[in-house]
Amino acid sequence: MAILVILGFALVGTVELVLSPRRPWKEVAAYLVLLAVAAAFSVMVTLNPDLPVPQPLGLLFDWLKEIWQGGL
Amino acid sequence: MSFWKRWKEKKAAGKQREHLSTSLESNIRWLRSNLLADDATIVYRLLRTKGPRPRDCALVYANNMAKHDFLSEHVVAPLMSSAPPKELHGQGLLDYFMQEAISSDSMDTSSSYKELAEAVVRGTGVVLVDGCGIGLMVDAQGFEKRSVSEPQSETVVRGPRQGFTEDLGVNVSLVRRKITSPNLKMKYLYVGEQTRTKTAVMYLESVAKPDLVDEVIQRIEQIEMDGILESGYIEELIKDSPRSPFPTIGHTERPDTVAGKILEGRVAVLVDGTPFALTMPYLLVEAFQANEDYYRHWVLASFHRLVRYISFFLTTSTPGLYLALVSHHPQLLPMNLAISIAAARKNVPFPAMVEVVIMGLVFEILREGGVRLPRSVGQAISIVGAIVLGDAAVGASLVSAPMIIVVGLTGVAGFVVSQFNDVAVVVRLGLVVLAGLLGFYGFLLGGMGLMLHLASIKSFGVPYLSSLTSLSVQGSQDTLLRSPWWKMQMRPRHIGAKNRQRVQSPSRSRRS
Amino acid sequence: MKEHVPDRQGIAFVALFILGNSIIYGLAWRAGRDLWLSFLVATGLSFPLILLYSRLHSLMHGQVFSEGMESLFGKWPSRIIALLYSGYAWRLGSYVVSDVTNFIQAVSLRDTPQFATALGFVLLVLWAVKEGAETLARWSSVMIVVVGFVLVFTLLLATGQVDLDEFLPVMYDGFGPVLLGALQIMDFPFLETILVVGSIGALSRQKASYTVFLTGFVLAAFFLMLVASFSLAVLGTEKYTTSYYPIFMATARIDVAEFLTRLELVVGVIFALGGFLKMAVCLLAACKGLAHTLGFSDYRFLATPLVLSVIPGARWLVKSSMEIERSATKVFGISDVLFQVVLPICLWIVAEIRISRHSED
């Protein structure tokens, strides 16, 4: 399954690079990096659907909950 | 070095021979051996004038391209009986011939071999006079033409029975007779390196946007092609979104349609050699408009226009929806219908998707076969298709009876919007595939994609969907319905932007 | 590439975005039979914020996530803001994907894997993002007619089923539930409009921002209120507050002479149209934001990775379909408060100060 996902992303990447008109190397590089990140992310989620979601604002939320005891 | 020299000499020699010499004999020799060499249709008629000092002349023309009796009567005879004064020569002599001998309403002069040769092959009679470095071009074009008759592809019940012919001059005059206003402007362009096809760009100066006119002319001038045999060449070479199956340039055989489009601010392009005129910009709604809509009562016209929209929906969607319902959501059908469809499909060996695709293909084969054949044979094909294939296939349980109904409905509805007949095939197939994959939601995705595509294309800078997207009563007067004329006082936005007022003083119109 | 959206198309764009995926959920279920009051309160409370969004859009000349923002806040702050909003937009886009695929699996295609429907939608979204806001606005101006017509038609057909007594007594449980319901509607879907600000591009003139956002918002709010009240009146408070897709259940009850039935399918159509537009707008904003962060003027080439990654994103953010329904109708999430209220207000204050200083100079 993970291999299929990677192959899919690789296919999309090559097709799009071949079809698109010439672009500056910076844009191509950014595109490739992002595509790699997206592929890695997809593989991670495919392998482990229960991957925890980071809560950067979780602390703030807990604190708010503490001071507002009303509860929702 | 020697090569360079030779090239230079050659160029110089060519330059020498760009213009006529004063010797008639050498001019004819040059034409015969160079520009018009190996062309058996060219006639060189040598003749001599009368008078105190007879001059040698030659009439050069192309056989069957020029009117022979006209040339004999109005060029050859007067020349032979004319008596130019002794002292005249050069330009003065030509002026004498033009003013006192040749009785033709349209004449021109040129000293360029190339121009003269091109005139000859177009059907013009060229008169060369000994001692003059200038040739006379007498317009005498005349060849067999089809007479003006009702076009086969766009017949009407009510409306003028005129259609364009293959002759540009006739076509231009047909439009001109509809709009007898000096505001109607025309520009001639010659397209195609070999064919030099004469093309007329027509527009109403007070209404058409100057940018649009310039854009059209510029695009036509940029065409690089050896030959233009039909306006379809130009259409394909200058249209926007060339990959889209949707036409972004309209075509019609009817002068009244062209005149109507010109009056709205569009530009028309007429091409010599074909009865099909192009109009641009072309929007989606135009495919659903017919010239007859404007000649009939607006309620009936509106109704028929709605029928056209519904037909387009039916022809593109019926197979897809049928497939989605049968193979993915049978529970959405009313119980009785679901049971009867299931019963009809019981013995059919193929999955619904295969059935739909095959029957669609069979229908297209029958249609294509019928179109290209003579009418009598074409009817035989439809009988074979309808009775033999349809009836027998159902009898043999190769296809189900509902499928025949679906294909029939699809086919008949497709002919209602003839402009989109070809587009509908592509759209239909796409929707069938999507509906087969994802059922009703696949169909919906296809529909949304189609809309997205339509929203993305433009025709000469005007959005293809414009006037469907204006979301105002005024802007959609002539879209889904046809408003009565006394309500349509404005020209369509985007197209007639330069002068939107159709009726100059609204108070004068009868009932607003 | 210069984008330019006519006013009416912009209004359709905003309205369809807000209707988007929210129409099928039991909005303001906490308020129960007083939900229409919740809608009024939420509209009143959101109005100044939408006005503020319009002001921001107008101040940036529609060039949000590009020159407009950079000239107001400077290079790096604007890039950071763009990145934050890009993430927020991507997250919301993922949620919408999950909404749509869950709905379709729940009511129609039980055996089709969610991945397949998601891929179908996402590929279309990818195309739409590459076409840009102008095309999408034109698209929505056609679709809003379809949606409006279908909604009005359905509501009219259902008048026979409506029981107005369901709305009585008014405010039996006090103002608390009404306020909670109102806060929930503000969070989802009213104030998500902030993402439209980032995606829509230039309008016909600077003042048009107000017309477009406010009209679109009021229109959508009115329709949502109508639809929610109708569902409640047909289903009753009990069923409305407990069912996943109340409007779907309500329209399923319509039966005119055994001929016009299965109208719930129509709700599916509206939901698919709106959901698609919402995904497209979210990802458009995400792409534009990210492109600005990375310093590119064109965003189209970034679309593919960002758009494709919402499929795993939807699976990652939403672990079960129960979760989505409750999180869709929760009362103000903390990140939503940040992105919909706190940040825009801060941005607005800074922008106004900058502008006034600029004009003094």
Side-chain angles (χ1 to χ4, degrees), chain C residues 154-187:
Chain C
T154 317
L155 294 186
L156 282 179
L157 280 181
T159 39
Q161 311 264 348
V162 167
D163 181 7
L164 286 177
D165 288 343
E166 291 289 345
F167 292 113
L168 297 173
V170 177
M171 289 244 269
Y172 184 73
D173 299 317
F175 193 66
V178 173
L179 187 67
L180 284 181
L183 285 175
Q184 179 265 307
I185 310 171
M186 283 172 72
D187 174 12

mmCIF file of all heavy atoms in Angstrom, chain C residues 154-187:
data_model
loop_
_atom_site.group_PDB
_atom_site.id
_atom_site.type_symbol
_atom_site.label_atom_id
_atom_site.label_comp_id
_atom_site.label_asym_id
_atom_site.label_seq_id
_atom_site.Cartn_x
_atom_site.Cartn_y
_atom_site.Cartn_z
ATOM 1 N N THR C 154 -37.591 22.917 -2.935
ATOM 2 C CA THR C 154 -37.741 21.885 -1.904
ATOM 3 C C THR C 154 -38.512 22.413 -0.710
ATOM 4 O O THR C 154 -39.410 21.751 -0.178
ATOM 5 C CB THR C 154 -36.353 21.402 -1.448
ATOM 6 O OG1 THR C 154 -35.541 21.246 -2.594
ATOM 7 C CG2 THR C 154 -36.455 20.101 -0.706
ATOM 8 N N LEU C 155 -38.164 23.624 -0.269
ATOM 9 C CA LEU C 155 -38.829 24.188 0.901
ATOM 10 C C LEU C 155 -40.315 24.380 0.629
ATOM 11 O O LEU C 155 -41.154 24.097 1.486
ATOM 12 C CB LEU C 155 -38.190 25.524 1.287
ATOM 13 C CG LEU C 155 -36.746 25.451 1.776
ATOM 14 C CD1 LEU C 155 -36.277 26.806 2.268
ATOM 15 C CD2 LEU C 155 -36.607 24.422 2.885
ATOM 16 N N LEU C 156 -40.625 24.819 -0.585
ATOM 17 C CA LEU C 156 -42.038 25.014 -0.919
ATOM 18 C C LEU C 156 -42.798 23.695 -0.890
ATOM 19 O O LEU C 156 -43.913 23.607 -0.390
ATOM 20 C CB LEU C 156 -42.172 25.662 -2.304
ATOM 21 C CG LEU C 156 -41.909 27.159 -2.356
ATOM 22 C CD1 LEU C 156 -42.056 27.659 -3.780
ATOM 23 C CD2 LEU C 156 -42.878 27.890 -1.451
ATOM 24 N N LEU C 157 -42.151 22.658 -1.416
ATOM 25 C CA LEU C 157 -42.814 21.357 -1.449
ATOM 26 C C LEU C 157 -43.077 20.831 -0.043
ATOM 27 O O LEU C 157 -44.019 20.085 0.186
ATOM 28 C CB LEU C 157 -41.952 20.350 -2.202
ATOM 29 C CG LEU C 157 -42.005 20.409 -3.713
ATOM 30 C CD1 LEU C 157 -41.113 19.338 -4.291
ATOM 31 C CD2 LEU C 157 -43.422 20.199 -4.194
ATOM 32 N N ALA C 158 -42.211 21.234 0.871
ATOM 33 C CA ALA C 158 -42.286 20.659 2.204
ATOM 34 C C ALA C 158 -43.199 21.439 3.124
ATOM 35 O O ALA C 158 -43.349 21.072 4.296
ATOM 36 C CB ALA C 158 -40.889 20.581 2.803
ATOM 37 N N THR C 159 -43.794 22.502 2.633
ATOM 38 C CA THR C 159 -44.607 23.324 3.537
ATOM 39 C C THR C 159 -45.701 22.501 4.200
ATOM 40 O O THR C 159 -46.126 22.793 5.313
ATOM 41 C CB THR C 159 -45.232 24.510 2.783
ATOM 42 O OG1 THR C 159 -45.624 24.066 1.503
ATOM 43 C CG2 THR C 159 -44.271 25.661 2.663
ATOM 44 N N GLY C 160 -46.160 21.447 3.514
ATOM 45 C CA GLY C 160 -47.204 20.617 4.093
ATOM 46 C C GLY C 160 -46.747 19.900 5.358
ATOM 47 O O GLY C 160 -47.554 19.604 6.241
ATOM 48 N N GLN C 161 -45.456 19.605 5.440
ATOM 49 C CA GLN C 161 -44.924 18.839 6.573
ATOM 50 C C GLN C 161 -44.564 19.720 7.757
ATOM 51 O O GLN C 161 -44.253 19.221 8.836
ATOM 52 C CB GLN C 161 -43.652 18.110 6.129
ATOM 53 C CG GLN C 161 -43.794 17.352 4.842
ATOM 54 C CD GLN C 161 -44.099 15.897 5.106
ATOM 55 O OE1 GLN C 161 -43.983 15.422 6.230
ATOM 56 N NE2 GLN C 161 -44.519 15.188 4.077
ATOM 57 N N VAL C 162 -44.532 21.017 7.524
ATOM 58 C CA VAL C 162 -44.013 21.908 8.559
ATOM 59 C C VAL C 162 -45.020 22.059 9.690
ATOM 60 O O VAL C 162 -46.210 22.244 9.471
ATOM 61 C CB VAL C 162 -43.686 23.286 7.951
ATOM 62 C CG1 VAL C 162 -43.456 24.323 9.029
ATOM 63 C CG2 VAL C 162 -42.471 23.180 7.066
ATOM 64 N N ASP C 163 -44.506 21.961 10.914
ATOM 65 C CA ASP C 163 -45.352 22.153 12.082
ATOM 66 C C ASP C 163 -44.786 23.326 12.879
ATOM 67 O O ASP C 163 -43.760 23.202 13.545
ATOM 68 C CB ASP C 163 -45.343 20.877 12.928
ATOM 69 C CG ASP C 163 -46.237 21.033 14.135
ATOM 70 O OD1 ASP C 163 -46.945 22.057 14.215
ATOM 71 O OD2 ASP C 163 -46.217 20.139 14.987
ATOM 72 N N LEU C 164 -45.463 24.463 12.764
ATOM 73 C CA LEU C 164 -44.895 25.675 13.367
ATOM 74 C C LEU C 164 -44.920 25.631 14.886
ATOM 75 O O LEU C 164 -44.192 26.379 15.541
ATOM 76 C CB LEU C 164 -45.644 26.915 12.858
ATOM 77 C CG LEU C 164 -45.310 27.291 11.416
ATOM 78 C CD1 LEU C 164 -46.152 28.472 10.967
ATOM 79 C CD2 LEU C 164 -43.835 27.636 11.272
ATOM 80 N N ASP C 165 -45.716 24.756 15.450
ATOM 81 C CA ASP C 165 -45.760 24.666 16.908
ATOM 82 C C ASP C 165 -44.430 24.208 17.499
ATOM 83 O O ASP C 165 -44.175 24.384 18.681
ATOM 84 C CB ASP C 165 -46.860 23.694 17.341
ATOM 85 C CG ASP C 165 -48.228 24.297 17.112
ATOM 86 O OD1 ASP C 165 -48.280 25.532 16.942
ATOM 87 O OD2 ASP C 165 -49.208 23.550 17.063
ATOM 88 N N GLU C 166 -43.620 23.591 16.655
ATOM 89 C CA GLU C 166 -42.311 23.138 17.136
ATOM 90 C C GLU C 166 -41.471 24.286 17.678
ATOM 91 O O GLU C 166 -40.553 24.079 18.455
ATOM 92 C CB GLU C 166 -41.549 22.449 15.995
ATOM 93 C CG GLU C 166 -42.121 21.118 15.561
ATOM 94 C CD GLU C 166 -41.908 20.034 16.605
ATOM 95 O OE1 GLU C 166 -41.091 20.242 17.510
ATOM 96 O OE2 GLU C 166 -42.587 18.996 16.503
ATOM 97 N N PHE C 167 -41.754 25.502 17.222
ATOM 98 C CA PHE C 167 -40.937 26.642 17.646
ATOM 99 C C PHE C 167 -41.375 27.197 18.998
ATOM 100 O O PHE C 167 -40.752 28.106 19.521
ATOM 101 C CB PHE C 167 -40.983 27.759 16.606
ATOM 102 C CG PHE C 167 -40.298 27.378 15.334
ATOM 103 C CD1 PHE C 167 -41.003 27.201 14.161
ATOM 104 C CD2 PHE C 167 -38.926 27.184 15.316
ATOM 105 C CE1 PHE C 167 -40.369 26.835 12.996
ATOM 106 C CE2 PHE C 167 -38.284 26.822 14.158
ATOM 107 C CZ PHE C 167 -39.007 26.646 12.992
ATOM 108 N N LEU C 168 -42.456 26.719 19.521
ATOM 109 C CA LEU C 168 -42.978 27.269 20.780
ATOM 110 C C LEU C 168 -42.658 26.320 21.927
ATOM 111 O O LEU C 168 -42.593 25.111 21.719
ATOM 112 C CB LEU C 168 -44.494 27.461 20.661
ATOM 113 C CG LEU C 168 -44.904 28.478 19.591
ATOM 114 C CD1 LEU C 168 -46.419 28.482 19.420
ATOM 115 C CD2 LEU C 168 -44.383 29.855 19.917
ATOM 116 N N PRO C 169 -42.496 26.754 23.121
ATOM 117 C CA PRO C 169 -42.413 28.153 23.530
ATOM 118 C C PRO C 169 -41.026 28.745 23.262
ATOM 119 O O PRO C 169 -40.039 28.031 23.299
ATOM 120 C CB PRO C 169 -42.661 28.065 25.033
ATOM 121 C CG PRO C 169 -42.152 26.708 25.418
ATOM 122 C CD PRO C 169 -42.358 25.822 24.241
ATOM 123 N N VAL C 170 -40.995 30.021 23.036
ATOM 124 C CA VAL C 170 -39.740 30.685 22.720
ATOM 125 C C VAL C 170 -38.911 30.864 23.993
ATOM 126 O O VAL C 170 -39.429 31.246 25.042
ATOM 127 C CB VAL C 170 -40.023 32.056 22.074
ATOM 128 C CG1 VAL C 170 -38.728 32.790 21.800
ATOM 129 C CG2 VAL C 170 -40.815 31.880 20.807
ATOM 130 N N MET C 171 -37.647 30.535 23.893
ATOM 131 C CA MET C 171 -36.664 30.750 24.970
ATOM 132 C C MET C 171 -37.087 30.113 26.291
ATOM 133 O O MET C 171 -36.957 30.689 27.359
ATOM 134 C CB MET C 171 -36.449 32.254 25.182
ATOM 135 C CG MET C 171 -35.690 32.878 24.043
ATOM 136 S SD MET C 171 -34.123 33.515 24.513
ATOM 137 C CE MET C 171 -34.542 35.179 24.920
ATOM 138 N N TYR C 172 -37.586 28.920 26.175
ATOM 139 C CA TYR C 172 -38.026 28.217 27.374
ATOM 140 C C TYR C 172 -36.831 27.916 28.269
ATOM 141 O O TYR C 172 -36.912 27.995 29.485
ATOM 142 C CB TYR C 172 -38.725 26.926 26.959
ATOM 143 C CG TYR C 172 -39.306 26.151 28.103
ATOM 144 C CD1 TYR C 172 -40.453 26.619 28.749
ATOM 145 C CD2 TYR C 172 -38.720 24.966 28.538
ATOM 146 C CE1 TYR C 172 -40.995 25.914 29.792
ATOM 147 C CE2 TYR C 172 -39.269 24.258 29.585
ATOM 148 C CZ TYR C 172 -40.405 24.739 30.215
ATOM 149 O OH TYR C 172 -40.945 24.043 31.258
ATOM 150 N N ASP C 173 -35.693 27.609 27.646
ATOM 151 C CA ASP C 173 -34.502 27.248 28.414
ATOM 152 C C ASP C 173 -33.593 28.430 28.679
ATOM 153 O O ASP C 173 -32.427 28.252 29.032
ATOM 154 C CB ASP C 173 -33.721 26.169 27.651
ATOM 155 C CG ASP C 173 -34.563 24.935 27.466
ATOM 156 O OD1 ASP C 173 -35.243 24.546 28.428
ATOM 157 O OD2 ASP C 173 -34.569 24.388 26.347
ATOM 158 N N GLY C 174 -34.078 29.631 28.424
ATOM 159 C CA GLY C 174 -33.253 30.798 28.699
ATOM 160 C C GLY C 174 -32.341 31.126 27.531
ATOM 161 O O GLY C 174 -32.385 30.492 26.483
ATOM 162 N N PHE C 175 -31.484 32.110 27.754
ATOM 163 C CA PHE C 175 -30.666 32.631 26.665
ATOM 164 C C PHE C 175 -29.383 31.820 26.456
ATOM 165 O O PHE C 175 -28.766 31.873 25.415
ATOM 166 C CB PHE C 175 -30.316 34.093 26.956
ATOM 167 C CG PHE C 175 -29.742 34.792 25.760
ATOM 168 C CD1 PHE C 175 -30.517 35.013 24.627
ATOM 169 C CD2 PHE C 175 -28.418 35.209 25.750
ATOM 170 C CE1 PHE C 175 -29.993 35.644 23.536
ATOM 171 C CE2 PHE C 175 -27.896 35.840 24.644
ATOM 172 C CZ PHE C 175 -28.678 36.057 23.527
ATOM 173 N N GLY C 176 -28.996 31.064 27.487
ATOM 174 C CA GLY C 176 -27.738 30.320 27.406
ATOM 175 C C GLY C 176 -27.608 29.455 26.172
ATOM 176 O O GLY C 176 -26.674 29.646 25.376
ATOM 177 N N PRO C 177 -28.524 28.514 25.947
ATOM 178 C CA PRO C 177 -28.413 27.659 24.769
ATOM 179 C C PRO C 177 -28.415 28.457 23.474
ATOM 180 O O PRO C 177 -27.713 28.093 22.521
ATOM 181 C CB PRO C 177 -29.670 26.787 24.851
ATOM 182 C CG PRO C 177 -30.083 26.827 26.260
ATOM 183 C CD PRO C 177 -29.660 28.151 26.797
ATOM 184 N N VAL C 178 -29.205 29.535 23.443
ATOM 185 C CA VAL C 178 -29.248 30.352 22.227
ATOM 186 C C VAL C 178 -27.861 30.899 21.928
ATOM 187 O O VAL C 178 -27.370 30.850 20.802
ATOM 188 C CB VAL C 178 -30.263 31.501 22.386
ATOM 189 C CG1 VAL C 178 -30.183 32.444 21.190
ATOM 190 C CG2 VAL C 178 -31.654 30.966 22.533
ATOM 191 N N LEU C 179 -27.191 31.392 22.975
ATOM 192 C CA LEU C 179 -25.864 31.970 22.788
ATOM 193 C C LEU C 179 -24.869 30.894 22.347
ATOM 194 O O LEU C 179 -24.059 31.111 21.443
ATOM 195 C CB LEU C 179 -25.394 32.633 24.081
ATOM 196 C CG LEU C 179 -24.098 33.413 23.914
ATOM 197 C CD1 LEU C 179 -24.323 34.614 23.023
ATOM 198 C CD2 LEU C 179 -23.560 33.838 25.261
ATOM 199 N N LEU C 180 -24.964 29.733 22.995
ATOM 200 C CA LEU C 180 -24.058 28.647 22.610
ATOM 201 C C LEU C 180 -24.267 28.282 21.142
ATOM 202 O O LEU C 180 -23.300 28.116 20.387
ATOM 203 C CB LEU C 180 -24.307 27.421 23.488
ATOM 204 C CG LEU C 180 -23.752 27.503 24.911
ATOM 205 C CD1 LEU C 180 -24.042 26.215 25.649
ATOM 206 C CD2 LEU C 180 -22.259 27.772 24.877
ATOM 207 N N GLY C 181 -25.534 28.159 20.741
ATOM 208 C CA GLY C 181 -25.834 27.856 19.347
ATOM 209 C C GLY C 181 -25.271 28.935 18.429
ATOM 210 O O GLY C 181 -24.661 28.638 17.387
ATOM 211 N N ALA C 182 -25.446 30.172 18.849
ATOM 212 C CA ALA C 182 -24.973 31.284 18.021
ATOM 213 C C ALA C 182 -23.461 31.232 17.869
ATOM 214 O O ALA C 182 -22.918 31.406 16.767
ATOM 215 C CB ALA C 182 -25.397 32.604 18.642
ATOM 216 N N LEU C 183 -22.767 30.960 18.982
ATOM 217 C CA LEU C 183 -21.299 30.886 18.913
ATOM 218 C C LEU C 183 -20.869 29.779 17.964
ATOM 219 O O LEU C 183 -19.927 29.932 17.185
ATOM 220 C CB LEU C 183 -20.721 30.632 20.310
ATOM 221 C CG LEU C 183 -20.739 31.832 21.239
ATOM 222 C CD1 LEU C 183 -20.261 31.424 22.621
ATOM 223 C CD2 LEU C 183 -19.866 32.944 20.684
ATOM 224 N N GLN C 184 -21.606 28.665 18.034
ATOM 225 C CA GLN C 184 -21.261 27.553 17.147
ATOM 226 C C GLN C 184 -21.447 27.940 15.683
ATOM 227 O O GLN C 184 -20.593 27.641 14.842
ATOM 228 C CB GLN C 184 -22.143 26.362 17.524
ATOM 229 C CG GLN C 184 -21.906 25.135 16.677
ATOM 230 C CD GLN C 184 -22.878 25.073 15.535
ATOM 231 O OE1 GLN C 184 -24.088 25.151 15.748
ATOM 232 N NE2 GLN C 184 -22.365 24.966 14.336
ATOM 233 N N ILE C 185 -22.548 28.628 15.377
ATOM 234 C CA ILE C 185 -22.765 29.011 13.969
ATOM 235 C C ILE C 185 -21.704 30.006 13.518
ATOM 236 O O ILE C 185 -21.293 30.015 12.364
ATOM 237 C CB ILE C 185 -24.155 29.633 13.753
ATOM 238 C CG1 ILE C 185 -25.228 28.755 14.362
ATOM 239 C CG2 ILE C 185 -24.449 29.779 12.286
ATOM 240 C CD1 ILE C 185 -26.576 29.413 14.375
ATOM 241 N N MET C 186 -21.282 30.864 14.446
ATOM 242 C CA MET C 186 -20.242 31.827 14.060
ATOM 243 C C MET C 186 -18.954 31.103 13.688
ATOM 244 O O MET C 186 -18.315 31.406 12.687
ATOM 245 C CB MET C 186 -19.962 32.790 15.216
ATOM 246 C CG MET C 186 -21.019 33.857 15.373
ATOM 247 S SD MET C 186 -20.728 34.780 16.870
ATOM 248 C CE MET C 186 -19.287 35.724 16.412
ATOM 249 N N ASP C 187 -18.599 30.131 14.525
ATOM 250 C CA ASP C 187 -17.366 29.388 14.278
ATOM 251 C C ASP C 187 -17.469 28.644 12.952
ATOM 252 O O ASP C 187 -16.586 28.723 12.095
ATOM 253 C CB ASP C 187 -17.163 28.423 15.442
ATOM 254 C CG ASP C 187 -15.989 27.502 15.212
ATOM 255 O OD1 ASP C 187 -15.223 27.772 14.271
ATOM 256 O OD2 ASP C 187 -15.842 26.540 15.956
#
